[in-house]
Amino acid sequence: MPLSCKFEVNKLQPRSMNFLAHLYLSFEDDQITIGNFIADSIRGNKYKHLPEKIQKGIVLHRAIDTYTDKHPIVRQSTKRLHENYSHYSGVIVDIFYDHFLAKNWSEYADTPLPHFVDNFYDLLENHYDILPIGVKRMMPYMIADNWILNYAKMEGISRVLNGMNRRTQNKSKMNFAILDLEEHYADFEKEFTYFFDELIIFSKQKYLSLR
C-alpha cells in the first residue's frame, strides 16, 4: 500500500512515507498542503474542527492513497520487493518514489527543491498550533535532518531505510533495500515516471473538485 504506509518511533504502521509526493500534489495551496501532510495522523473523521481547506487537504490525501493502492504500476513495483520484504514492500516503494521525484524535481516544478522544502518547513511552523501531536513530535527531526531534501541522494535513502529497519527492531531488513534500488534502478524509475504522470492528472482533478 505505497501511499498509505505509516510508522511510529518503535514500529511501522500504515502511514505515508512519500512526504514529497503529497506536498507536490497539494498544488502550492498552503492549507491544502497542511491537510495533505497531516492526514495520516488523523483517524476517521476527527478533523471536522479544522479549517475547511485543511479538511479538503485531508480528503485529497486519502483519495491519492486509494488511487495509488489500486494502481497496477505501483503493484508491479511492490511485487518486485515482496519476496524479501513482505508487507514492508509498500513502505519501501514509497521511499523509492519520493527519491525519483526529488532527483527529477526540475522536470515537475519551477521552484528549486531546496526553496520548496524551506517554504514547507516555514508553513509547518506557521500552523504549529493546529498540528497533531505526532506531527509536532516528528517536526524537529524532519527539519534538523532535512529528510525531504535528502531523498534526492542515494545516501539519504540509505539512511532512511536504515532508520526504518531500526524502528522494526531489525525485523524488516529494510536496510538491504538500497541494494534492490541499485539493482533495479532503471525499472523503478520508469515505473515511477509512468505512474506519477497519471497520479498528477488524477490529483489535479480531485483538487479542483474540492475547491
Side-chain angles (χ1 to χ4, degrees):
M1 298 178 11
L3 270 100
S4 56
C5 300
K6 304 185 180 173
F7 76 96
E8 291 183 346
V9 174
N10 296 317
K11 59 182 178 179
L12 291 180
Q13 297 179 339
R15 178 177 186 148
S16 293
M17 284 308 300
N18 48 355
F19 299 122
L20 183 58
H22 279 292
L23 299 180
Y24 176 80
L25 295 170
S26 297
F27 305 103
E28 299 182 275
D29 187 316
D30 286 354
Q31 289 197 318
I32 292 289
T33 298
I34 291 295
N36 204 340
F37 183 72
I38 69 174
D40 280 321
S41 298
I42 295 174
R43 296 182 180 275
N45 64 354
K46 295 181 179 179
Y47 58 86
K48 300 298 184 180
H49 62 288
L50 296 171
E52 183 178 2
K53 288 195 74 175
I54 292 180
Q55 294 186 38
K56 290 179 178 180
I58 294 169
V59 172
L60 175 60
H61 178 109
R62 293 176 178 179
I64 291 170
D65 280 355
T66 298
Y67 177 85
T68 302
D69 289 344
K70 298 177 180 179
H71 202 286
I73 293 178
V74 176
R75 291 184 174 183
Q76 185 173 322
S77 291
T78 56
K79 184 178 180 181
R80 187 177 296 114
L81 298 169
H82 195 268
E83 182 178 353
N84 290 332
Y85 308 103
S86 186
H87 58 283
Y88 297 109
S89 58
V91 181
I92 297 168
V93 169
D94 256 7
I95 296 167
F96 287 1
Y97 279 16
D98 247 16
H99 164 67
F100 291 117
L101 177 56
K103 173 198 168 192
N104 300 303
W105 182 256
S106 62
E107 298 180 19
Y108 297 98
D110 294 327
T111 303
L113 183 58
H115 294 170
F116 179 88
V117 173
D118 285 344
N119 289 340
F120 168 64
Y121 293 154
D122 289 342
L123 188 64
L124 276 183
E125 291 173 354
N126 291 338
H127 290 81
Y128 186 82
D129 289 345
I130 66 170
L131 298 178
I133 187 64
V135 175
K136 289 179 178 179
R137 289 172 177 165
M138 179 178 66
M139 266 183 65
Y141 304 101
M142 168 180 277
I143 294 173
D145 294 335
N146 212 344
W147 292 357
I148 299 173
L149 187 62
N150 284 327
Y151 271 28
K153 305 173 184 177
M154 289 293 281
E155 53 266 38
I157 296 299
S158 183
R159 284 197 298 272
V160 170
L161 291 168
N162 274 282
M164 298 296 284
N165 182 57
R166 288 194 298 272
R167 293 184 183 102
T168 67
Q169 298 178 335
N170 301 318
K171 294 176 182 177
S172 68
K173 308 300 181 186
M174 289 171 65
N175 52 309
F176 293 111
I178 192 69
L179 302 178
D180 296 85
L181 178 58
E182 292 171 348
E183 181 178 358
H184 302 287
Y185 196 89
D187 292 326
F188 281 120
E189 185 165 24
K190 184 185 298 183
E191 287 159 3
F192 162 77
T193 302
Y194 288 152
F195 164 68
F196 202 65
D197 286 347
E198 295 184 10
L199 181 60
I200 292 171
I201 295 170
F202 169 82
S203 301
K204 187 68 171 183
Q205 291 173 340
K206 184 64 178 180
Y207 166 71
L208 293 173
S209 76
L210 292 169
R211 294 177 64 184

